[in-house]
Every structure is written in structure tokens, then in C-alpha cells.
Amino acid sequence: MGLLEFLYWCEDLHMEPVLAVYAGYSMRQVRVAPGPDLEPYVKEALDEIEYVTGSAATTWGARRAKDGHPAPFKLQYVEVGNEDQFDRQVGSYDGRFAQFFDAIKARYPQLQVIATMKVNGRTPDVIDEHYYRNSEDLMAS
């Protein structure tokens, strides 16, 4: 399922989408350093948000309109990364999250930015912690 299909699906089911953007970390312990190396990924995330929410007068909103959906989609939540708690380089997510958070909030202050784990330096609007524990451990919590 591509982005446009996902957005139509959410719209058809009267659900709000959560847009997850790649934050420079893969499960094979490959990560992109914050700063200039991460900037293309931040730009891609901003372009994706513009595709979803931009008016038809914007570059990516015009592309969405050309793709058949002239009106912007509703978007309230953007999740930065996924499964970042598996990153064995301590503190790696903090810098990457901060760079995305700052860029998203600068252009789209109304959006709620979700972190996938606790971070230092920025206060995410929401934390989507992923728990991988057995049922007994969860029941004991």
C-alpha cells in the first residue's frame, strides 16, 4: 500500500492517519548521523507532509491534486522513526529526533510530533513506546 492509498483508506474509514517518517535508523544497526547527512531525510519528510496537507498551490500539494485528490488530507500526527529502542548506540535517536522535531515544528507547528522512545533535548507531543515483553511481564507492570 502506498501513501496515497493509505490516506484514501483512512479517509474512507473516517480514521485519522498517523504519518510515520524514516528517521535515519534501520534494524541492521545502520544509522544516519544528525546534521548534514540527515538533512535529505528531513527534507523528504517535510515534502511528504506537504503532499498530505498542502494546498494545490504548493509543489507537493499540486502533485497530490494531479494524483486525484485536490483537497488536503487531514493530518494531526507525525511519528519520527520506528523501533529506535533497538539502536545499540546510546543517544543516537536524540539527535536525529531533535533535527526532525525542529524542522517539522518550524513549518507545521500545529502537528503533533511522536517519538518512538523517550528522548532528551526535545519534548515530544506523544511518546509511542514499543514494548516487547511476554504477557506475564506486562500483567505484572
Side-chain angles (χ1 to χ4, degrees):
M1 177 182 296
L3 176 59
L4 186 58
E5 291 83 8
F6 170 70
L7 294 168
Y8 272 123
W9 180 63
C10 291
E11 188 175 72
D12 289 346
L13 294 174
H14 307 286
M15 300 184 319
E16 284 190 42
V18 173
L19 182 65
V21 297
Y22 176 70
Y25 171 73
S26 73
M27 296 298 288
R28 294 185 180 186
Q29 297 295 310
V30 175
R31 68 193 57 76
V32 179
D37 292 343
L38 192 61
E39 197 55 40
Y41 300 97
V42 173
K43 182 186 179 320
E44 186 174 296
L46 294 174
D47 290 347
E48 190 171 355
I49 295 167
E50 182 179 289
Y51 181 87
V52 175
T53 66
S55 77
T58 65
T59 300
W60 289 103
R63 177 56 193 249
R64 183 201 59 248
K66 183 180 175 194
D67 290 343
H69 198 282
F73 286 97
K74 182 178 179 183
L75 181 67
Q76 185 174 344
Y77 298 100
V78 176
E79 184 158 358
V80 177
N82 189 31
E83 310 294 5
D84 294 280
Q85 75 279 5
F86 290 119
D87 189 352
R88 290 191 283 268
Q89 183 178 324
V90 176
S92 166
Y93 184 60
D94 287 330
R96 291 182 288 109
F97 178 80
Q99 192 168 343
F100 277 90
F101 182 89
D102 291 349
I104 292 168
K105 286 295 190 175
R107 189 171 303 171
Y108 302 100
Q110 76 281 9
L111 292 179
Q112 300 290 294
V113 181
I114 303 170
T116 63
M117 60 183 286
K118 291 179 182 174
V119 292
N120 298 308
R122 301 295 183 279
T123 302
D125 298 301
V126 178
I127 298 177
D128 177 21
E129 292 186 273
H130 297 190
Y131 296 100
Y132 296 98
R133 299 185 299 184
N134 63 39
S135 58
E136 291 81 19
D137 287 345
L138 288 171
M139 293 294 286
S141 300

